Amino acid sequence: MRKNIVAGNWKMNLNRNEGIKLVEDVLNLLSSNSTSEVVFSPSFVHLYKVNKMCKSIEGVSSSAQNCSASEKGTFTGEVSAEMIKSLGVEYVILGHSERRENFMETNNELKQKVDISLKNGLKVIFCCGESLSQRKNEVHFDCIKNQIEESLFHLNETEFENIIIAYEPIWAIGTGVTASTDQAQEMHQFIRDLISEKYNNEISENTSILYGGSCKPSNAKELFSQKDIDGGLIGGASLNAQDFAQIINSF
Ligand code: PEP
């Protein structure tokens, strides 16, 4: 059965003390009734500490925000999947639109990152999302299909079990504009159908598909109540303990 997951992407925010305090505060605010797994995704420099804070708590884990497409070697400033895994970290976020746009990450490079992450035992939170002009030109389904096919659909069934998809329309990220519940559900269903066609119904039903894009306490409950929305990848609101905990507790 697929898991409900709420992951907080801190991006390049919070110093060490702020990060530690945020994790402590969120953990204190979690409802014992929540059915969601919680994932904190800090920057690399905080990952060891944050992972240590989460590791012993059931249903709480950590994620890197990226990894190198290469195994090891002369890549100054890069961090490998093996290094991340050696900390005991469970997840890596790949293909965030900010990395696609600012660091020119292509579907093919992401395919390599997916492969190297899975090879090293990380689960992948794979982001996909269309731009505003793609949605206006009604090519948003093609865009998502293309991103998923080119970076993920070479995987075999066993490998695909370690993939979580995050649908994040670019026009909704950090803008305060959230996709409507219908828009989000429609795309999540489309993604689930794609997975079913490529693999089978069981794999598709077992894949967690998260929504990301200005998700906040006021809209989380409605979004998460949709049948194909299994949680959220949360940016801005994950930096505030009350907001993030409220989103998690929406399940
Ligand atoms: C994100 O960056 O993944 C994101 C969803 O950001 P925000 O929640 O701030 O829109």
Side-chain angles (χ1 to χ4, degrees), residues 12-53:
M12 198 173 73
N13 291 297
L14 305 181
N15 65 29
R16 183 180 159 92
N17 289 341
E18 289 166 344
I20 291 172
K21 176 143 184 2
L22 179 66
V23 175
E24 284 170 350
D25 289 349
V26 171
L27 294 179
N28 284 331
L29 290 164
L30 288 187
S31 147
S32 53
N33 298 329
S34 174
T35 58
S36 174
E37 180 173 337
V38 181
V39 180
F40 292 99
S41 186
S43 76
F44 283 127
V45 289
H46 305 325
L47 200 47
Y48 175 74
K49 176 67 183 168
V50 168
N51 185 60
K52 246 181 122 175
M53 293 175 78

Side-chain angles (χ1 to χ4, degrees), residues 9 11 96 98 168 172-175 212-215 233-237:
N9 173 15
K11 312 192 184 189
H96 193 283
E98 287 156 13
E168 300 206 304
I173 295 181
T175 57
S214 299
C215 184
L233 180 54
I234 318 297

Side-chain angles (χ1 to χ4, degrees), residues 217-233:
S218 57
N219 57 29
K221 216 178 184 69
E222 200 189 328
L223 284 162
F224 297 171
S225 69
Q226 299 302 301
K227 85 173 173 42
D228 290 299
I229 302 184
D230 308 308
L233 180 54

Side-chain angles (χ1 to χ4, degrees), residues 7-11 93 96-98 127 166-170 172-177 211-216 232-239 247:
N9 173 15
W10 296 1
K11 312 192 184 189
I93 296 172
H96 193 283
S97 61
E98 287 156 13
C127 304
Y167 168 58
E168 300 206 304
I170 300 172
I173 295 181
T175 57
V177 179
Y211 169 78
S214 299
C215 184
K216 39 195 178 244
L233 180 54
I234 318 297
S238 75
L239 300 174
I247 293 172

